[in-house]
């Protein structure tokens, strides 16, 4: 210990010296210091804990040093308080007592056994059964970036590399609970402006290739990393090394649950950026946080399946063969209803085998966890039997991944009782006959307790003290308690040990004789059970790789069966996926909106026929509330589901592979970053244009509405032209807009088509038919919608008058080259304006140049 630390320790009590010595080793962590039945915190940690948890802040004596702030809570309440600390962004170090009884004259040995962070935890209270909690690291290279992520509770460990421009989307697809970054590159991470990402800064030496490569090689005990297919992934190996380093540091162990490293090509998955996930309601809807797409399509029966289906939806496939493989498996289970229903019944009896295996490796598996493993593995032969005659090669290959491990089942069931106790101190865990020494000590403990019961009855009868009872405490051991009412009946052989308000406590030579035998037997019994449990866990840990493989296979089968069941229940169809550039959907439906429809109402389906060669861009017009945005979003959801391997809400769908789905929908701002609504809109649009390809799908809603009419119209017009004419960006596009002027583009651009959302007027009211029809809308019915919203009648009437003037005067004058109508006319002549108009060559103006000229005239007026 340094001289500085020694100076600080002077005058402190021995306990506080121990505390500060451990705290010195973990300065960046909140230290939960175990003292008997409590976790205590001191100094600044105590102040912070008191604030976050809302518990009382007190003080503790520190010898000659000043008193220190103190805040604590019972150790059994850890599962209630730990999530609150971690959710508040804390890094929590759990400091436990490492021995039951200290050496004479010494403090109990204590040490940090685990550091819990947002991205690293094995605590059930912090883990969502159906969501992965990823620790992620990023390492920037010259032209790419390496990403690695791991799930500490399951052992999943993945490495990938992406182009620099795709880093933000890749991180958002992973959705890390904690992101590791090298100190010197922190500014690059901040520039990405990621939302809801907790970053942890590590030193430069952790992010070096030699360190990462050697750490990975030593962990997997291999001569090289060639077997993992990561030889050429320089940045990825560095990121993976940083993840493994952090896992080992926080777990205070060898991270033995990490048994393999998977290398995933960035080209195999579709990256979904933040706004696309939000606009397609992938995880959380924009309003109440419920009704997310993933909740709708998740029909799995196991926690592993729930996590897997979320992974599939977060990163849909971009390989036609792999997509069709998944669809083949779903189709087979859809048609073979008997096997599917039987499989789902079996899955109901399988717990979280993946996380159980992680606990086994880290020495945290309880007896109940082990019996759950045996129960899960016992179902494997039943699953295998279901698919003996299966003809679908994908299902057969998946079933072949299952490892029955019957000897593991036998070993666990031979050792443990059917329903082990949840008492952490042990007892009633191992079967009679499993271990002779345990049976012997257990019998001694039981016979001792029987003896005490007989002693109590015998002494009560011989003394006539019917209320006499045998008790125990840690100070006096076993004793006979007699109330004061019967004090005069106590025989001479009783030795008084303690006086209470209403009773006296005594011991006898006979009671002391058996006390040592009973207590020793109980201590030996619990010690043996702990040792036997460690031996059993160690033996089962030898098969963790096979257990993890089985868990992964079960998760995939669960997803296939869930997709099939959902397709049958919700009338979904199998999409055709190929490498064409068409996107034909017949009677498509919005999965989330359809499920949320009120009882008795039917969702109105719509069809679209996008084709990069002939019908590349659809301009969709229509009034607010008519369903333009729903039509756009449902196409994106159908493509996403299809490429995740699920059936889709439509009567038929033919989808030419999509590499990215881009959405620009709705209005939002980033005031804290000084970004207005329109700037955010333009940033998102620029991102689309820079990253879209001919194979992408663009869903654009009201681009240009965030600024003045002519500015917005000009931008929207030029945007459509750019997407149509630029071969690098010529993506299939749906563009919903209120700019009816854009309909003129269909007459000048070969691959632009006009569509409208049909409405009808009836007795002054607007009826929304929700049907997408060829052609352009003639007006927006904005005033009618405003009336429906409850705007004052006087305001509505005034708006009608202004609209009538605009329609009858303004537009004809614009078409004839006249001046723009002034709602508040002046008698002053517009000589300068006349000169401007005279200088325009109307015959040579393009539509967009005419609009820009009109904007300039308007500004001068």
């Amino acid at each position: 210990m340094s001289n500085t630390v020694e100076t600080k320790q002077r005058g402190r009590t021995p306990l506080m010296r121990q505390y500060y010595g451990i705290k010195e080793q973990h300065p960046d962590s909140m230290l939960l210091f175990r003292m008997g039945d409590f976790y205590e915190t001191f100094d600044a940690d105590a102040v912070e804990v008191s604030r976050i948890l809302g518990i009382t802040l007190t003080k503790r004596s520190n010898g000659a040093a000043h008193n220190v702030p103190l805040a604590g809570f019972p150790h059994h309440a850890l599962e209630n308080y730990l999530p609150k600390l971690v959710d508040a962004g804390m890094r929590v170090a759990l400091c436990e007592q490492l021995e039951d009884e200290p050496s004479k004259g010494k403090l109990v040995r204590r040490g940090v056994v685990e550091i819990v962070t947002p991205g690293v935890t094995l605590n059930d209270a912090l883990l969502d059964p159906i969501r992965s909690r990823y620790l992620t690291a990023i390492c920037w290279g010259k032209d790419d970036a390496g990403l690695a992520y791991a799930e500490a509770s399951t052992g999943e460990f993945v490495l990938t590399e992406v182009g620099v421009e795709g880093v933000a989307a890749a991180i958002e697809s992973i959705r890390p609970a904690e992101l590791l970054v090298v100190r010197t590159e922190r500014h690059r991470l901040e520039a990405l402006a990621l939302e809801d990402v907790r970053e942890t800064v590590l030193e430069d030496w952790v992010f070096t290739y030699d360190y990462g490569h050697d750490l990975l090689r030593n962990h997997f005990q291999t001569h090289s990393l060639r077997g993992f297919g990561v030889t050429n992934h320089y940045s990825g190996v560095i990121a993976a090394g940083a993840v493994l380093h952090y896992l080992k540091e926080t777990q205070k162990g060898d991270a033995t649950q990490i048994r393999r490293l998977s290398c995933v090509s960035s080209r195999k998955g579709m990256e979904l950026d933040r706004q696309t996930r939000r606009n397609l309601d992938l995880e959380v809807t924009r309003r109440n946080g419920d009704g997310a797409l993933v909740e709708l399509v998740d029909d799995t029966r196991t926690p592993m399946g729930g996590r897997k289906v979320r992974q599939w939806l977060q990163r849909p496939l971009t390989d036609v063969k792999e997509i069709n493989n998944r669809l083949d498996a779903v189709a087979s289970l859809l048609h073979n209803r008997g096997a599917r229903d039987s499989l789902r019944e079996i899955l109901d009896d399988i717990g979280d085998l993946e996380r159980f295996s992680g606990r086994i490796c880290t020495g945290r598996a309880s007896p109940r966890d082990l019996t759950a493993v045996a129960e899960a593995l016992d179902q494997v032969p039943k699953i295998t039997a279901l698919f003996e005659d299966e003809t679908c090669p994908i299902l057969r290959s998946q079933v072949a991944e299952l490892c029955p491990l019957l000897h593991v089942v036998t070993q666990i069931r031979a050792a443990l009782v059917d329903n082990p106790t949840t008492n952490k101190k042990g007892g009633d865990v191992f079967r009679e006959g499993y271990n002779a020494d345990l049976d012997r000590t257990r019998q001694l403990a039981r016979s001792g307790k029987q003896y005490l019961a007989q002693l109590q009855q015998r002494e009560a009868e011989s003394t006539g003290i019917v209320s006499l009872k045998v008790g125990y405490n840690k100070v006096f051991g076993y004793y006979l308690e007699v109330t004061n009412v019967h004090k005069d009946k106590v025989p001479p052989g009783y030795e008084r040990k303690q006086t209470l308000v209403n009773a006296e406590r005594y011991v006898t030579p006979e009671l002391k004789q058996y006390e040592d035998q009973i207590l020793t037997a109980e201590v030996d019994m619990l010690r043996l059970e702990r040792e036997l449990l460690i031996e059993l866990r160690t033996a089962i840990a030898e098969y963790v790789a096979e257990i993890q493989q089985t868990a992964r296979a079960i998760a995939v089968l669960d997803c296939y069966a869930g997709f099939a069941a959902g397709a049958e229940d919700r009338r979904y169809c199998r999409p055709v996926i190929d490498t064409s550039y068409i996107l034909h959907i017949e009677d498509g439906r919005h999965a989330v909106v359809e499920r949320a429809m009120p009882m008795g109402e039917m969702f109105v389906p719509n069809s679209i026929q996008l084709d990069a060669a002939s019908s590349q861009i659809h301009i969709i017009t229509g009034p607010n509330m008519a369903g333009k945005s729903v039509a756009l979003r449902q196409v994106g959801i159908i493509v996403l589901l299809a490429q995740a391997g699920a059936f889709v809400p439509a009567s038929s769908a033919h989808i030419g592979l999509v590499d990215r789905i881009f959405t620009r929908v709705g209005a939002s701002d980033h005031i804290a970053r000084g970004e207005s609504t329109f700037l955010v809109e333009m940033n998102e649009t620029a991102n689309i244009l820079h990253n879209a390809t001919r194979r992408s799908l663009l869903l654009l809603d009201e681009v240009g509405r965030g600024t003045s009419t002519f500015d917005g119209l000009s931008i929207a017009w030029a945007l459509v032209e750019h997407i149509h004419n630029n071969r690098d960006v010529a993506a299939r596009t749906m563009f919903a807009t209120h700019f009816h002027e854009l309909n003129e583009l269909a007459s000048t651009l070969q691959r632009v088509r006009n569509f409208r959302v049909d409405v009808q007027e009836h007795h002054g009211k607007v009826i929304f038919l929700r049907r997408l029809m060829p052609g352009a809308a003639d007006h927006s019915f904005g005033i009618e919608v405003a009336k429906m919203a409850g705007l004052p009648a006087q305001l509505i009437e005034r708006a009608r008058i202004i609209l009538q003037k605009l329609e009858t005067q303004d537009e004809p004058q614009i078409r004839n080259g006249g001046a723009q109508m002034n709602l508040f006319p002046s008698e002053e002549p517009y000589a300068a304006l006349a000169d401007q108009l005279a200088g325009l060559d109307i015959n040579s103006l393009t539509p967009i140049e005419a609009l820009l000229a009109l904007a300039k005239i308007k500004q001068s007026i």
Side-chain angles (χ1 to χ4, degrees), residues 601-642:
E601 289 191 26
M602 297 293 292
F603 185 90
V604 178
N606 276 301
S607 302
I608 65 126
Q609 302 285 326
L610 280 170
D611 189 334
S614 59
S615 182
Q616 174 201 344
I617 301 173
H618 287 184
I619 304 293
I620 304 173
T621 51
N624 284 314
M625 298 176 59
K628 299 191 301 298
S629 294
V630 171
L632 264 64
R633 288 186 172 101
Q634 76 185 40
V635 171
I637 287 174
I638 287 172
V639 171
L640 187 150
L641 288 176

Side-chain angles (χ1 to χ4, degrees), residues 275-518:
Q275 59 263 27
T276 298
R277 291 201 321 273
R278 182 182 66 242
N279 292 329
L280 298 185
D281 293 332
L282 184 54
E283 281 284 347
V284 179
T285 56
R286 288 167 302 285
R287 287 180 176 267
N288 301 321
D290 55 6
L293 176 66
V294 68
E295 306 294 341
L296 172 68
V297 302
D298 180 10
D299 290 297
T300 57
R301 295 294 181 89
T302 67
M304 302 99 71
R307 293 193 294 271
K308 181 65 70 176
V309 79
R310 280 160 176 77
Q311 291 173 15
W312 286 4
L313 290 176
Q314 287 287 347
R315 194 174 177 83
L317 295 170
T318 52
D319 183 285
V320 171
K321 182 179 179 181
E322 290 189 22
I323 295 169
N324 282 309
N325 283 345
R326 285 186 187 174
L327 292 172
D328 286 344
V330 175
S332 180
L333 287 171
L334 178 64
H335 297 139
N336 190 349
R337 184 172 185 177
R340 183 185 78 229
D341 290 347
S342 297
L343 172 62
R344 286 163 65 78
E345 287 179 8
I346 293 171
L347 293 174
D348 285 335
D349 294 327
I350 295 178
D352 201 339
L353 187 59
E354 201 170 29
R355 282 185 171 158
F356 291 150
S357 66
R359 293 176 199 162
I360 292 171
C361 286
T362 56
R364 298 166 183 268
S366 68
R368 286 206 170 180
D369 290 338
L370 295 176
T371 56
V373 168
E375 179 65 25
L377 293 176
D378 201 29
Q379 308 304 314
V380 170
K382 301 177 186 177
I383 297 175
T384 304
L386 284 176
F387 296 96
E388 284 182 347
D389 301 323
E390 180 58 52
T391 58
C392 174
I394 304 306
L395 284 178
R396 290 183 65 86
S397 65
Q398 203 62 47
V399 171
E401 292 290 308
L402 299 172
C403 304
L405 298 175
L406 297 180
H407 58 290
V408 172
V409 177
T410 301
Q411 186 174 8
I412 293 173
R413 288 186 168 164
L416 302 176
V417 298
D418 292 336
N419 189 25
T421 178
T422 57
N423 186 348
K424 294 183 179 180
K425 293 183 178 180
D428 299 325
V429 170
F430 288 90
R431 291 185 185 276
E432 297 284 348
Y434 177 70
N435 180 275
D437 290 340
L438 178 62
D439 289 345
R440 187 164 48 253
T441 56
R442 186 181 282 167
Q443 182 58 37
L444 284 172
R446 288 174 180 172
S447 63
K449 290 181 179 179
Q450 291 172 358
Y451 162 78
L452 291 175
Q454 294 169 358
L455 173 67
Q456 176 176 309
Q457 182 178 1
R458 188 176 69 246
E459 290 295 317
E461 291 174 353
S462 65
T463 61
I465 306 173
V466 294
S467 62
L468 182 146
K469 63 180 181 180
V470 175
Y472 173 82
N473 66 32
K474 292 182 179 180
V475 177
F476 298 107
Y478 285 100
Y479 54 81
L480 299 169
E481 184 171 298
V482 179
T483 60
N484 290 338
V485 175
H486 301 286
K487 194 163 51 173
D488 56 340
K489 299 179 182 178
V490 173
Y494 279 33
E495 177 186 350
R496 183 185 291 110
K497 294 296 293 185
Q498 186 181 17
T499 299
L500 304 178
V501 175
N502 298 314
E504 298 280 353
R505 289 176 175 174
Y506 303 86
V507 295
T508 66
E510 182 184 6
L511 187 59
K512 295 298 292 181
Q513 177 184 346
Y514 277 91
E515 180 179 27
D516 290 341
Q517 176 182 323
I518 296 168

Side-chain angles (χ1 to χ4, degrees), residues 538-549:
T538 302
I540 304 304
E542 294 295 322
Y543 303 96
V544 160
E546 290 89 345
I547 294 173
Q548 290 177 334
Q549 176 181 315

Side-chain angles (χ1 to χ4, degrees), residues 77-88:
L78 180 66
E79 291 192 353
N80 295 328
Y81 289 125
L82 186 60
K84 296 179 181 179
L85 295 174
V86 175
D87 288 344

